[in-house]
Amino acid sequence: MNFKIKWLVLSLSLFLLTTKSIHAQDLLKGKDLSTVKVDLLSDADISKLKTQLTSAGVTIDQVEQQALAKGMSPAEYAKLKQRLAEPATKNNAGKLKAPEKTKPTGAEKIDNSTDSLDTEKYKEKPLKPLIDPLIFGSELYTSVSPSFEPNLNMATPSNYILGPDDQIQVSVYGVQEYNGDLLVSAEGNINIPNVGQIKVGGLSIEAATQKIKTIMGNGAYAYLKSGGSKLSVSLSKIRSIKVTIIGANRPGTYRLSSLSSVFNALYLSGGPTAFGSFREIELVRNSKVERKVDLYRMLMNGDQTDNIGLKDNDVIRIPSYKVRVELQGQVKRPGIFEVLPNETFSNIIAFASGFTDTAYRASIKVFQQNERERLVHDLTAVDFNNYKPQTGDVFVASKILNRYINRVTLTGAVQRPDFYELTPNLRVADLIRRADGLKPDAYTDRASIIRYQEDLTRSLFSFDVKKALNGDDVHNLLLQKEDEILISSVQDLKDSFKVTIQGEIRMPGQYEYVSKLSLKDLIIQAGGFTDAAYQSVEIARLLRRDSLAMNDQRTSVLIKTKVNKGGMADFNDNIALQPFDVITVRKIAGYKLPQSVLVNGIVQYPGPYALSSSNDRVSDLLNRAGGVAPDAYIAGAYIKRYKTDLEKEKAKETSKKLLKTLKDKDSTGLAVNEEITREFDKIPLDLVSILKSPGSTEDVLLIDKDELTIPKYDAQVKVSGELLLSTQIPYQTNYRLRDYISAAGGFTINAYRSKVYVVYANGKAASTSHFLFIKSFPRIEPGCELIIPKKREKKATSMAEIAGFATVVLSLVSTYVLLKK
């Protein structure tokens, strides 16, 4: 028989190892069963294990000790035993249904529950709070992660009462030794080898330990009496109990650990329903109310007096609430609160953690209802301790008003402008002294007070600041709440004057005018003269006059002077400036920085060159560059000239107008627009004529940043556009335009044959010309590009247009017939 048991345990280990590879690869290592999770075993696995037990002729109880010795926890063994004893519940995948997230490990709801919230059809729906989050205490049951689980890993409580299905571990160590896990039978007995049965049911762990020690000491373990051996008794497996919960979100009968308490059971059942009470929950034991549980005691004070342990067949009944009210507004924790008969509004404020800092506490609005309609009641602070709330009451705590009962405002030319407290008999002079007095620039002849009248309109009172400070009662006015006192600054009553300097100065712009500002002072403020500055300076001064004459067209007075750059230290030769003067520093005549151009391509000495005069031409530049090289293609020479800022702005305006006129933005129109917005222009050159006749009209004058490019001879002709093959063809002297088109495979069906044009190497372009029925095609030169444009797509005539055209023709015919008659 022992051989069969050992063989079965080995089979169980191998079976669980096989299961591990299928369901949970990290559960088992070798023959270690300590991490096995029975919940992950399928019904087929359980059926296979049942077959192995039957074949071996043993029961699951007979292999318990060996399975536990291999590391399987008592809790997992209990689950395995239950799975073997009961039919499996399958889900859609054919596997054991996993426990819900809201059920803690080790607690299982009995299958005979009829609660609809436990049905499979809700599995795919998103989690919703079981209880309205506004209800005070709902946070205990709206948490996604489990809480309030019984602590199964704690030391055995000394007052724990043993009962059937508990398993205790009895260890004797010392001179004599014994170690065994003993199951408490249905009669409450344990069986110790060589000692016999000992009744421990109904005893606490402490009492059972003493009884076991006495009986074992009087029997085979005499050294327990003399002290040669010691005894240790602990709880190795906790029995389960059945608890029925009524009125919860998930009512039914639950199998729980015997260490579970009321709070554990309430959490498993989802807590009270929307109409359930949080304060009068009943624990019914042996058909009598053992205790009424008030969850507010724990929520408010952390008091767990009501969290007592459960016993087998206990009933937890959650009745409906009797009085529930809502508190809104300026409280720290608005919500819905349950009220007991002896509680007042002050208790509700305590439940809400009190008022916020900005709450109006003198009075609370109470919205009530009777049998027919609603009504409102003002609850003053003196009645907070006396008012007994009625069910359905809605309390609203308002916010304090954003106004002051004792504030005055002082602004302007004082040392500390700010808000100040209005004290009894406060006057203007007292307030100015509180602000540490006036600023030196204060205007003391007149100040003002803006005051609210009884009808909330604003009025202004003026006073003399000097007289007020000297104690004159006429001007030292008595202040009222929300008065605004304004004392102006002398600077605020003056215009802010500017002078302008422009021209050859380092920092041109506007500068503040100050008294006794001179021309040389302003020049120094502006950073001094530039290198191009001339000693001639012109001052335009504001023309002041009382009236205008018909023949007086002057706008300013011009003052011309000379300022020597080295004479800035001379204080005598200077001109005093006036507000709004405009000073212009002239530039030295002919002062111009050297300008450069660039030579690229096939010349003797390419690179940048500085222009020697404003009349430098292409021929001059070529002579300085040593002339063209032997392999230069002079027919392709051109100048790249960059646009000025003004030209770029004009190009942008032209581009905008072009894009507006292009209804269909085809490739041709977009290409033209791209050419317009290009940052440079390409100027073609007739270099043969330029070299023959230097200084002629073809010999272009050069300007700053011009780039002269002379390409290398390229005996290729590029053919592109609406051709069967866009390519490059070697230049042949006997080839004409049609020959190159034929060499590229000919036209496509979309080719615009009459608009063929050629772009030469120097940037010139030539198009096909027509005279009567004779076409004249442009000549082909080396390095040019032959371009065949695309025809514009013709829109098909719509039926509406055809009908309109037919109507017009018919009308004309009808008119002709009538006139003919």
Side-chain angles (χ1 to χ4, degrees):
M1 188 68 178
N2 289 335
F3 171 78
K4 288 184 177 181
I5 293 174
K6 290 181 180 179
W7 174 84
L8 185 61
V9 172
L10 179 61
S11 299
L12 177 64
S13 302
L14 295 174
F15 164 73
L16 291 174
L17 281 169
T18 305
T19 305
K20 158 234 176 180
S21 63
I22 300 174
H23 298 288
Q25 297 179 4
D26 59 342
L27 285 180
L28 302 174
K29 302 295 181 183
K31 297 181 179 180
D32 182 15
L33 305 182
S34 60
T35 57
V36 170
K37 299 297 181 184
V38 176
D39 290 334
L40 299 178
L41 300 180
S42 66
D43 288 343
D45 296 331
I46 297 298
S47 177
K48 184 177 180 181
L49 187 56
K50 283 183 179 179
T51 303
Q52 292 177 350
L53 289 171
T54 304
S55 300
V58 294
T59 65
I60 187 65
D61 293 327
Q62 291 174 310
V63 298
E64 178 182 2
Q65 296 296 331
Q66 287 83 351
L68 295 176
K70 288 185 174 291
M72 178 177 283
S73 67
E76 291 300 324
Y77 174 79
K79 289 181 183 180
L80 181 61
K81 183 178 178 181
Q82 180 181 343
R83 290 285 304 277
L84 291 169
E86 297 180 0
T89 302
K90 294 185 179 180
N91 57 15
N92 294 335
K95 296 181 180 180
L96 187 68
K97 180 180 176 182
E100 297 180 6
K101 289 185 177 181
T102 54
K103 294 180 182 180
T105 304
E108 178 188 0
K109 186 175 177 180
I110 292 179
D111 293 335
N112 61 6
S113 170
T114 59
D115 183 14
S116 61
L117 289 178
D118 200 31
T119 58
E120 188 69 12
K121 65 182 179 180
Y122 293 100
K123 183 177 180 181
E124 299 300 327
K125 292 186 177 181
L127 291 175
K128 294 182 179 179
L130 296 174
I131 310 172
D132 186 350
L134 285 177
I135 297 176
F136 184 58
S138 62
E139 60 269 20
L140 296 176
Y141 307 104
T142 55
S143 173
V144 176
S145 58
S147 61
F148 287 119
E149 294 181 2
N151 187 359
L152 301 178
N153 296 321
M154 68 178 183
T156 305
S158 59
N159 60 348
Y160 178 80
I161 305 300
L162 294 173
D165 290 334
D166 276 340
Q167 183 173 286
I168 60 175
Q169 184 178 36
V170 178
S171 297
V172 178
Y173 54 93
V175 177
Q176 293 177 297
E177 292 185 353
Y178 170 76
N179 187 32
D181 288 324
L182 308 176
L183 186 68
V184 180
S185 66
E187 293 78 17
N189 298 325
I190 59 173
N191 188 10
I192 301 177
N194 301 321
V195 176
Q197 291 190 347
I198 302 175
K199 186 174 182 62
V200 296
L203 298 178
S204 66
I205 286 289
E206 186 177 7
T209 302
Q210 188 60 40
K211 184 174 181 179
I212 294 170
K213 181 179 179 180
T214 301
I215 295 175
M216 291 182 73
N218 291 332
Y221 298 90
Y223 282 96
L224 286 174
K225 295 179 67 177
S226 63
S229 295
K230 302 292 184 183
L231 175 69
S232 171
V233 178
S234 61
L235 195 63
S236 59
K237 175 187 170 184
I238 301 171
R239 71 181 184 275
S240 61
I241 60 175
K242 292 182 180 181
V243 177
T244 302
I245 305 174
I246 304 170
N249 279 293
R250 291 188 291 268
T253 301
Y254 289 81
R255 182 179 288 110
L256 306 176
S257 161
S258 57
L259 291 177
S260 299
S261 64
V262 172
F263 289 176
N264 303 143
L266 287 174
Y267 181 82
L268 293 177
S269 64
T273 63
F275 302 101
S277 172
F278 278 70
R279 309 200 61 186
E280 295 184 303
I281 301 171
E282 297 176 352
L283 174 61
V284 180
R285 183 171 292 165
N286 298 324
S287 302
K288 294 181 181 180
V289 178
E290 179 75 13
R291 180 184 290 268
K292 282 195 173 184
V293 178
D294 186 353
L295 294 179
Y296 279 26
R297 279 200 285 265
M298 195 271 289
L299 291 169
M300 295 295 297
N301 306 314
D303 184 357
Q304 296 200 48
T305 306
D306 293 333
N307 191 23
I308 62 175
L310 296 174
K311 293 185 178 181
D312 198 24
N313 295 321
D314 275 355
V315 175
I316 297 176
R317 175 180 172 273
I318 305 175
S320 298
Y321 68 83
K322 295 177 181 176
V323 178
R324 183 183 281 178
V325 299
E326 184 174 358
L327 182 55
Q328 303 174 357
Q330 298 300 310
V331 290
K332 294 176 181 176
R333 203 279 187 196
I336 300 172
F337 301 92
E338 186 177 347
V339 184
L340 297 180
N342 59 340
E343 291 178 337
T344 64
F345 178 71
S346 295
N347 298 109
I348 301 175
I349 291 295
F351 298 154
S353 301
F355 291 104
T356 63
D357 297 336
T358 57
Y360 176 64
R361 309 185 187 196
S363 176
I364 296 293
K365 294 291 180 186
V366 186
F367 295 90
Q368 303 171 324
Q369 57 189 19
N370 55 28
E371 294 81 2
R372 299 180 58 187
E373 54 194 357
R374 299 179 181 273
L375 62 155
V376 64
H377 175 63
D378 290 329
L379 183 64
T380 58
V382 296
D383 296 325
F384 285 179
N385 293 327
N386 301 322
Y387 180 77
K388 300 242 178 124
Q390 302 174 16
T391 189
D393 281 358
V394 178
F395 300 91
V396 179
S398 303
K399 198 172 184 178
I400 59 174
L401 299 176
N402 188 21
R403 70 179 185 187
Y404 296 84
I405 61 174
N406 64 338
R407 181 180 69 171
V408 291
T409 307
L410 179 59
T411 58
V414 293
Q415 298 293 347
R416 298 182 183 277
D418 209 336
F419 300 109
Y420 288 90
E421 178 188 1
L422 177 63
T423 55
N425 300 319
L426 181 67
R427 294 182 177 270
V428 170
D430 302 325
L431 184 60
I432 293 174
R433 293 187 185 98
R434 278 196 201 177
D436 289 344
L438 302 171
K439 287 184 177 180
D441 61 341
Y443 181 68
T444 57
D445 291 339
R446 193 178 190 88
S448 57
I449 299 176
I450 299 176
R451 177 172 294 169
Y452 284 96
Q453 302 299 317
E454 292 182 358
D455 59 356
L456 297 182
T457 58
R458 300 174 65 165
S459 60
L460 187 141
F461 299 89
S462 299
F463 64 93
D464 187 310
V465 179
K466 286 182 181 179
K467 293 180 179 179
L469 292 174
N470 291 331
D472 188 339
D473 291 340
V474 176
H475 295 276
N476 192 18
L477 301 176
L478 187 66
L479 298 177
Q480 300 179 11
K481 72 173 183 178
E482 295 299 334
D483 277 356
E484 298 179 18
I485 300 92
L486 173 61
I487 300 176
S488 300
S489 168
V490 174
Q491 302 300 325
D492 296 336
L493 304 177
K494 293 181 179 180
D495 284 338
S496 177
F497 298 127
K498 301 286 184 181
V499 291
T500 305
I501 186 167
Q502 59 190 10
E504 295 303 320
I505 202 76
R506 295 185 187 280
M507 294 184 291
Q510 285 191 337
Y511 291 84
E512 183 181 0
Y513 173 80
V514 294
S515 180
K516 298 182 180 181
L517 178 67
S518 68
L519 176 60
K520 291 183 178 179
D521 296 328
L522 180 60
I523 292 172
I524 292 174
Q525 284 189 50
F529 295 110
T530 64
D531 184 63
Y534 184 53
Q535 60 183 357
S536 176
V537 177
E538 186 178 83
I539 302 174
R541 181 158 292 170
L542 177 66
L543 181 61
R544 299 182 185 273
R545 51 194 167 190
D546 297 330
S547 61
L548 282 174
M550 292 295 294
N551 57 352
D552 189 359
Q553 303 298 324
R554 296 175 299 164
T555 57
S556 62
V557 178
L558 294 180
I559 303 172
K560 294 184 178 182
T561 185
K562 292 185 178 181
V563 179
N564 189 357
K565 293 183 180 180
M568 298 301 293
D570 188 359
F571 289 90
N572 296 321
D573 185 16
N574 204 353
I575 296 177
L577 298 180
Q578 294 183 11
F580 309 114
D581 279 355
V582 178
I583 298 91
T584 304
V585 180
R586 297 299 177 196
K587 192 175 186 179
I588 297 174
Y591 187 93
K592 193 173 185 180
L593 295 175
Q595 297 178 338
S596 296
V597 294
L598 187 64
V599 180
N600 292 321
I602 312 304
V603 295
Q604 298 292 342
Y605 307 109
Y609 289 83
L611 296 176
S612 60
S613 72
S614 58
N615 292 323
D616 276 0
R617 296 176 181 269
V618 173
S619 59
D620 301 322
L621 185 59
L622 274 177
N623 289 332
R624 293 171 65 185
V628 298
D631 57 344
Y633 183 47
I634 59 176
Y638 63 91
I639 289 176
K640 184 187 289 186
R641 179 162 290 174
Y642 289 92
K643 296 177 182 178
T644 63
D645 293 339
L646 180 60
E647 289 172 336
K648 289 179 182 178
E649 289 297 325
K650 289 183 179 179
K652 286 182 180 179
E653 293 297 326
T654 306
S655 174
K656 289 180 182 178
K657 292 178 182 178
L658 177 64
L659 292 176
K660 286 182 180 179
T661 57
L662 290 175
K663 294 182 180 178
D664 299 324
K665 295 181 174 60
D666 57 5
S667 58
T668 304
L670 294 176
V672 172
N673 180 65
E674 185 178 351
E675 289 292 327
I676 292 174
T677 56
R678 192 169 57 181
E679 292 188 353
F680 59 87
D681 292 326
K682 193 174 181 180
I683 303 174
L685 298 175
D686 187 355
L687 205 56
V688 175
S689 299
I690 291 173
L691 294 176
K692 286 182 179 179
S693 303
S696 62
T697 55
E698 288 86 358
D699 198 358
V700 178
L701 288 169
L702 299 173
I703 64 173
D704 188 32
K705 298 180 182 178
D706 276 355
E707 293 182 13
L708 172 61
T709 301
I710 300 175
K712 186 178 180 180
Y713 180 79
D714 183 12
Q716 300 290 327
V717 176
K718 186 177 181 181
V719 187
S720 62
E722 293 301 316
L723 293 163
L724 294 179
L725 177 65
S726 295
T727 183
Q728 290 189 11
I729 301 170
Y731 174 74
Q732 301 288 337
T733 55
N734 60 339
Y735 267 29
R736 295 187 179 184
L737 185 142
R738 291 185 181 276
D739 298 322
Y740 288 102
I741 292 175
S742 297
F747 295 109
T748 65
I749 58 174
N750 295 322
Y752 203 167
R753 303 186 182 194
S754 62
K755 295 297 181 180
V756 175
Y757 64 97
V758 175
V759 178
Y760 297 103
N762 64 354
K764 279 187 178 180
S767 61
T768 305
S769 59
H770 302 266
F771 179 73
L772 297 179
F773 298 102
I774 301 173
K775 292 182 181 179
S776 177
F777 295 104
R779 72 182 186 280
I780 303 299
E781 294 181 357
C784 70
E785 182 178 2
L786 177 60
I787 301 174
I788 294 85
K790 184 180 180 181
K791 287 182 180 179
R792 289 191 177 183
E793 296 180 1
K794 293 183 179 180
K795 293 184 178 179
T797 305
S798 65
M799 292 301 298
E801 291 174 336
I802 295 173
F805 179 74
T807 303
V808 172
V809 173
L810 184 61
S811 299
L812 291 174
V813 171
S814 301
T815 303
Y816 174 76
V817 172
L818 290 173
L819 291 174
K820 193 73 174 175
K821 289 181 179 180

